[in-house]
């Protein structure tokens, strides 16, 4: 009897879902910029709160982040809670207070066509592709409850897929100790949102390589991600798909009361706002283009990086040491480099030059490349300058044997190459 009832409910739900999609897709809906409630306003009583599920039609990370921010700024959630479901093309998304050069591997991102985006919430770095589903829960600030949202997710996983998951002390969702979902939030007044991502069949090889970084010699106040073992839901239950998960989560959200999570079943769900496809464009959400431009900008993605310093040391090649006239057995020295980066721009470059280099013919210790780097973006503009200094393409590096035979340039070329390696190591 229970199986028959579940089948009937599922059939009615799917029909309702298709109808909602057709209605929204065929309309030219437009959301107005309404006041997001008075400052300090409170949520309505639970029985007066309606719920809706929004499904973004875009897989562009910047459009989706802009939509999330637009809703946070402009919508009134005191009587209407919204769950937004969305996906992105391959992207590394860092937290508001993180360092993109420390959290991601630029070479892997470039090779795999992976974007870098900075979100408005805190927390750690995550990898998105078509194998995961993102969720954003919008409520009024005074009824914000992250654990309630996570419990709703675990309940949906058990109800639909018979998967037993738990919320750990870091408020990650785990299965057998392996992470399937990370979480972050944005708390304001009067609105708040909590978002998380769920791994379904993410490309774990790209995920690992894209987020694999070495941070030796780097000091920063930026928030660092905490690595965790992960698992795809499909590895635990092959029947899980992004489409099925989307339906399961939306259904669980609509059938559950907004504050107490009481299960109201189909009758309760049918009285809610249902599923709505939304298109994150200027036509639908006036003012969204301007928000998207900010998320795309270098100033936001890289310029918002907290101050950091990169320090590395390099052994002085014998080729240069010989020019110093010092006995080679006494030459065991290193060139130390320190780069101070503020708001994504190189503010200062410090060299600690060993005596062997200071004594070498043709090197005065005042390499011209130092002054040319100050005030340049780390590390795209700086790399171009270093490429010009080395007289070769940015994809090449010099070995000690390639520095040339001119004692007038060897020292500066060595410094420029060390600078380049210092930036490439980040």
């Amino acid at each position: 009897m229970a199986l028959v009832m579940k089948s009937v409910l599922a059939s009615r739900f799917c029909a309702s879902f298709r109808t909602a999609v057709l209605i929204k897709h065929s309309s030219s809906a437009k959301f107005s910029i309404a006041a997001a409630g008075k400052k300090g306003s409170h949520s309505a009583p639970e029985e007066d709160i309606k719920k809706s599920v929004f499904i973004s039609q875009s897989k562009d990370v910047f459009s989706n982040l802009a939509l999330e921010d637009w809703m946070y700024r402009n919508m009134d959630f005191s009587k209407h809670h919204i769950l937004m479901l969305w996906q992105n093309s391959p992207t590394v998304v860092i937290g508001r207070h993180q360092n993109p050069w420390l959290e991601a591997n630029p070479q892997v991102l470039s090779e795999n066509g992976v974007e870098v985006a900075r979100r408005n919430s805190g927390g750690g770095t995550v990898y998105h592709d078509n194998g995961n589903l993102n969720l954003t829960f919008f409520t009024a600030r005074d009824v914000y409850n992250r654990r309630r949202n996570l419990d709703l997710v675990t309940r949906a996983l058990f109800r639909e897929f018979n998967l037993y998951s738990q919320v750990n002390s870091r408020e990650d969702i785990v299965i057998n100790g392996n992470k399937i979902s990370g979480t972050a939030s944005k708390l304001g007044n009067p609105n708040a949102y909590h978002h998380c991502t769920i791994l379904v069949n993410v490309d774990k090889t790209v995920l690992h390589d894209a987020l694999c970084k070495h941070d030796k010699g780097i000091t920063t106040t930026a928030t660092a991600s905490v690595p965790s073992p992960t698992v795809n839901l499909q590895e635990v239950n092959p029947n899980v798909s992004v489409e099925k998960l989307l339906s399961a989560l939306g259904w669980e959200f609509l059938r559950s009361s907004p504050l107490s999570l009481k299960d109201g079943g189909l009758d309760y769900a049918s009285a809610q706002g249902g599923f709505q496809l939304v298109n994150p464009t200027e036509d639908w959400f006036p003012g969204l283009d301007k928000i998207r431009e900010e998320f795309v900008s270098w100033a936001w993605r890289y310029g918002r990086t907290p101050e950091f310093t990169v320090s590395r040391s390099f052994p002085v090649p014998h080729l240069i040491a010989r020019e110093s006239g010092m006995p080679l057995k006494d030459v065991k020295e290193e060139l130390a480099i320190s780069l101070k980066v503020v708001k994504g721009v190189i503010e200062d470059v410090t060299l600690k030059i060993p005596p062997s280099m200071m004594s070498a013919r043709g090197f005065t210790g005042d390499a011209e490349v130092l002054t040319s780097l100050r005030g340049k973006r780390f590390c795209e503009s700086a790399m171009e300058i270093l490429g010009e200094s080395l007289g070769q393409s940015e994809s090449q590096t010099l070995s000690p044997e390639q520095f040339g035979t001119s004692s007038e340039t060897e020292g500066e070329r060595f410094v420029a190459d060390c600078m380049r390696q210092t930036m490439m190591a980040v």
Side-chain angles (χ1 to χ4, degrees), residues 95-403:
R96 182 183 178 93
H97 307 293
Q98 291 196 294
N99 184 324
W101 294 288
L102 299 188
E103 297 296 335
N105 188 321
Q107 182 176 350
V108 172
L109 303 190
S110 177
E111 292 173 354
N112 291 275
V114 179
E115 289 279 9
V116 175
R118 184 188 297 273
R119 63 178 183 267
N120 235 328
S121 63
T125 297
V126 292
Y127 173 73
H128 293 176
D129 66 14
N130 292 319
N132 76 337
L133 182 65
N134 305 305
L135 300 75
T136 306
F137 296 87
F138 292 95
T139 67
R141 173 67 178 87
D142 63 312
V143 294
Y144 166 87
N145 188 319
R146 181 187 294 190
R147 182 55 188 259
R148 180 176 63 227
N149 301 331
L150 297 174
D151 287 343
L152 185 145
V153 173
T154 60
R155 195 161 78 179
L157 292 175
F158 183 77
R159 187 192 303 276
E160 186 66 23
F161 306 110
N162 200 31
L163 289 172
Y164 179 68
S165 57
Q166 295 176 300
V167 181
N168 66 14
S169 60
R170 292 181 52 82
E171 296 191 315
D172 297 327
I173 301 178
V174 299
I175 294 180
N176 298 325
N178 294 308
K179 184 175 176 179
I180 63 164
S181 177
T183 197
S185 58
K186 174 76 172 177
L187 306 180
N189 190 357
N191 290 338
Y193 65 77
H194 160 226
H195 50 195
C196 57
T197 182
I198 300 180
L199 306 179
V200 180
N201 61 337
V202 169
D203 188 329
K204 292 176 69 176
T205 299
V206 178
L207 182 154
H208 175 269
D209 292 345
L211 303 184
C212 182
K213 285 293 294 179
H214 303 287
D215 57 359
K216 279 188 174 183
I218 299 169
T219 57
T220 180
T221 59
T223 302
S225 297
V226 179
S228 301
T230 60
V231 66
N232 279 317
L233 288 178
Q234 280 193 355
E235 297 177 63
V236 186
N237 182 343
N239 292 321
V240 182
S241 67
V242 171
E243 293 75 17
K244 291 178 181 178
L245 180 63
L246 182 149
S247 296
L249 291 169
W251 168 237
E252 195 69 39
F253 180 75
L254 293 174
R255 69 184 288 169
S256 303
S257 58
L259 305 182
S260 61
L261 286 189
K262 180 181 178 181
D263 185 4
L266 180 63
D267 290 340
Y268 186 86
S270 62
Q272 305 307 310
F275 288 74
Q276 301 180 50
L277 287 183
V278 294
N279 192 3
T281 63
E282 183 72 17
D283 287 341
W284 281 52
F285 300 91
L288 186 135
D289 279 356
K290 184 176 181 181
I291 300 174
R292 186 185 182 281
E293 287 174 7
E294 181 180 357
F295 278 110
V296 172
S297 69
W298 187 94
W300 173 256
R301 291 193 287 168
Y302 298 99
R304 292 296 296 264
T305 302
E307 178 181 320
F308 66 102
T309 301
V310 186
S311 301
R312 291 196 69 193
S313 297
F314 301 86
V316 177
H318 284 182
L319 185 64
I320 294 178
R322 281 198 297 266
E323 296 296 331
S324 69
M326 299 174 64
L328 289 181
K329 64 185 177 105
D330 297 331
V331 179
K332 296 179 180 179
E333 299 176 320
E334 293 183 324
L335 170 71
I337 296 177
S338 179
L339 299 175
K340 182 180 180 181
V341 183
V342 180
K343 295 182 178 180
V345 173
I346 299 174
E347 183 177 270
D348 198 13
V349 183
T350 303
L351 289 184
K352 291 185 179 179
I353 304 170
S356 62
M357 287 190 65
M358 294 298 292
S359 302
R361 296 196 309 271
F363 184 73
T364 64
D366 185 23
E368 184 179 346
V369 68
L370 298 184
T371 55
S372 63
L373 288 179
R374 294 188 179 100
K376 303 300 181 183
R377 289 180 176 179
F378 184 93
C379 61
E380 53 186 44
S381 298
M383 291 292 279
E384 291 176 3
I385 292 173
L386 289 174
E388 294 171 359
S389 298
L390 292 170
Q392 58 179 3
S393 67
E394 290 190 9
S395 61
Q396 296 175 316
T397 57
L398 290 179
S399 64
E401 292 77 15
Q402 293 174 311
F403 288 135

